Amino acid sequence: MTPREPLADAGLAGLRSDIAGEAHVPGDPGYDEARTVFNSMIDRRPAVVVQCAARADVVRGLRFAREHGLEVAVRGGGHSVSGMSLSEGGLVIDLRRMNAVTVDPENRTARVGGGAVMGDLDRATQPYALATTGGRVSTTGVGGFTLGGGSGWLERRFGLACDNLLAAELVTADGGTVRAAADENPDLFWALHGGGGNFGVATSLTLRLHELPVLTMMLLLFRPEDGPLAVRTYRDLMESAPDEAGGGCLYLTGPPEEFVPEHQVGRLICAVLVTYTGPEAEARDVAAPLLALDREAEFITEIPYAHLQCMLDDPPGQRNYWSAEYLDSFPDEAVGAFCSTAHAMPVPSGSQHVLFPLGGRVGRESGGFPVPWRSSPWAVHPFGIWGTAAEDEQGKAWVREVRAAVRPWAGGAVYLNFIGREGQERVVAGFGEENYERLAAVKARYDPGNVFHLNHNVKPSVAVV
């Protein structure tokens, strides 16, 4: 589709006059910014981007898409590694302007606009010493994160993000609106706990908040050759750690920070991050085995949760490729496989070779939701980020090598927010086969035409829930 054709003569002016936000088409001054997403590998040119300022704009945008036969994509944070929030030649429902967060400190809830990112949520709740499980960077969209399950630093203490979902308001494919809660459209409410954006455009979410007066973080840096010992020590510690403890192990390029030794800047290092939802003195007691190890550097402090969320933010404009495997066990052989594959990671780059612990409340409370990966005790997440196309093959090969190396200990289930387009079998594995069948029936009720298919797609069935 060429700029302004045929949309200019087919109702574009009407669309623009009907919405409180803006609509951008190719050639508009704001078009290129509107179509830029987190992964710079993605270069798609939608026919129109509707930057919605209110729910009515979402309804009008979907109607315009129906009238003109345009494929629909929905953008919240824009972090999908495969660029699912853009459609080539289609229409994008861009929610970023709908990012208001309203906190009810008495009832410990937050009403979050569909376009809010974690930074919006965390900054709103921080003054009340309240928080809920969020993504591990501040730029992740709250909507896609939560509806996909939602794994983050606080999950062992407070559960997954979807466990804290109290209600959601959606615009469905036909332009209708629906509210889902435990006592209202319970089938849809169940599906939104991990089923992603398959059922409509989430214009607002209501989330449960928890008291979090103090948070401690410990970032311990080790030479790569000492990484296996550090990872084994962290593994053993987390097997009996209280729910308050979390964090992860990661290999990364040494950043130019004051606490990083100069000889480690720009080189591969192994880091162990311990998060603790309590004071530093308690955190030190829990992490004593790690603190007994020789290390290159450390950064230990009590820190606002909103600040922790920003620490691993990735610079914009980078190329991305990542995936994950969820492990049923993590013996010494798996530790060796994890650590050895770090050496193939592109360095220097923004890439991170990550091991996350689950357990705690995540593993104890399933709620019957379609997130089978929550029972896995460990997750390996090769997160490739680099700057140039010349590094693409090395980076992609490294991600695949990591997955292959740890696959002997993988259970098959996977957190879909951590992967791109890896085939329908992986999608089903992300929900579980029985859950997928139930999700397909809910999909048939709310989106029988599969309008919302640019996601980890659940195809509608004819079954009745």
Side-chain angles (χ1 to χ4, degrees):
M1 179 176 294
T2 58
R4 309 289 185 176
E5 183 185 357
L7 293 184
D9 299 325
L12 182 60
L15 171 66
R16 284 173 163 157
S17 66
D18 286 348
I19 61 175
E22 295 185 78
H24 294 287
V25 298
D28 286 349
Y31 175 77
D32 283 331
E33 185 281 330
R35 71 183 184 91
T36 299
V37 292
F38 179 70
N39 185 0
S40 67
M41 284 186 185
I42 308 302
D43 184 21
R44 298 190 184 127
R45 299 183 63 82
V48 57
V49 179
V50 181
Q51 295 187 318
C52 303
R55 183 171 62 185
D57 292 358
V58 177
V59 175
R60 182 66 179 90
L62 290 175
R63 188 172 83 217
F64 187 87
R66 289 196 305 274
E67 291 170 348
H68 299 285
L70 299 175
E71 182 181 53
V72 173
V74 181
R75 174 175 183 157
H79 265 235
S80 162
V81 68
S82 55
M84 294 179 184
S85 53
L86 289 180
S87 167
E88 181 69 33
L91 181 141
V92 176
I93 298 292
D94 185 345
L95 300 173
R96 284 177 291 174
R97 296 188 181 194
M98 299 173 63
N99 65 344
V101 178
T102 304
V103 177
D104 181 345
E106 183 176 346
N107 292 310
R108 297 180 189 168
T109 62
R111 181 182 171 90
V112 184
V117 297
M118 288 303 159
D120 298 320
L121 175 59
D122 298 335
R123 286 190 296 270
T125 60
Q126 190 74 56
Y128 304 100
L130 297 172
T132 195
T133 301
R136 295 178 174 91
V137 295
S138 69
T139 54
T140 301
V142 177
F145 170 78
T146 302
L147 300 183
S151 172
W153 301 126
L154 304 181
E155 63 190 4
R156 284 174 48 84
R157 176 77 182 277
F158 300 135
L160 300 174
C162 71
D163 297 337
N164 293 288
L165 178 64
L166 299 176
E169 295 179 359
L170 276 72
V171 176
T172 54
D174 61 1
T177 59
V178 61
R179 184 178 186 274
D183 59 352
E184 190 172 359
N185 297 305
D187 60 331
L188 177 60
F189 188 60
W190 171 84
L192 296 178
H193 287 72
N198 275 285
F199 313 100
V201 182
T203 54
S204 77
L205 306 176
T206 301
L207 301 175
R208 180 187 297 110
L209 304 177
H210 306 267
E211 289 187 354
L212 187 62
V214 61
L215 175 71
T216 300
M217 64 151 289
M218 300 181 176
L219 186 61
L220 311 179
L221 304 184
F222 300 87
R223 295 176 301 173
E225 54 267 36
D226 296 328
L229 175 59
V231 173
R232 288 194 302 269
T233 303
Y234 179 77
R235 174 201 63 189
D236 295 344
L237 182 154
M238 291 305 300
E239 286 183 352
S240 59
D243 292 359
E244 289 83 355
C249 299
L250 59 158
Y251 284 84
L252 73 164
T253 299
E257 301 288 347
E258 288 185 7
F259 66 93
V260 179
E262 185 175 351
H263 67 277
Q264 295 286 15
V265 173
R267 304 183 67 181
L268 184 69
I269 58 173
C270 177
V272 176
L273 174 64
V274 178
T275 59
Y276 188 82
T277 54
E280 181 180 328
E282 291 181 12
R284 285 182 175 272
D285 287 342
V286 170
L290 281 167
L291 296 175
L293 299 179
D294 290 334
R295 52 194 178 276
E296 291 287 284
E298 65 180 38
F299 180 58
I300 301 175
T301 186
E302 293 180 1
I303 185 173
Y305 174 60
H307 293 182
L308 172 66
Q309 288 283 75
C310 299
M311 285 191 62
L312 294 179
D313 281 1
D314 306 301
Q318 300 291 294
R319 302 175 74 81
N320 285 251
Y321 186 81
W322 14 280
S323 189
E325 290 290 346
Y326 277 68
L327 310 185
D328 287 343
S329 63
F330 194 54
D332 287 352
E333 294 85 356
V335 172
F338 171 77
C339 293
S340 65
T341 50
H343 296 274
M345 184 174 71
V347 175
S349 76
S351 299
Q352 300 166 9
H353 183 36
V354 190
L355 170 76
F356 290 127
L358 281 80
R361 191 168 177 177
V362 175
R364 288 197 307 271
E365 300 181 18
S366 72
F369 300 137
V371 282
W373 46 270
R374 71 186 303 152
S375 62
S376 302
W378 296 97
V380 171
H381 182 32
F383 191 88
I385 305 177
W386 48 86
T388 66
E391 300 168 275
D392 286 355
E393 289 309 311
Q394 178 193 357
K396 291 180 178 181
W398 165 67
V399 170
R400 297 186 186 109
E401 179 184 344
V402 173
R403 284 192 59 200
V406 300
R407 194 168 294 135
W409 300 277
V414 63
Y415 175 37
L416 296 175
N417 283 357
F418 273 177
I419 72 171
R421 296 184 183 277
E422 297 183 4
Q424 189 65 12
E425 288 187 7
R426 285 277 269 178
V427 172
V428 174
F431 301 124
E433 289 188 12
E434 292 184 8
N435 290 327
Y436 184 88
E437 293 178 5
R438 183 177 172 186
L439 289 168
V442 178
K443 175 78 169 182
R445 179 173 299 176
Y446 292 96
D447 183 19
N450 205 11
V451 169
F452 302 112
H453 61 269
L454 292 178
N455 45 41
H456 293 295
N457 193 230
V458 174
K459 295 177 173 59
S461 72
V462 295
V464 177
V465 176

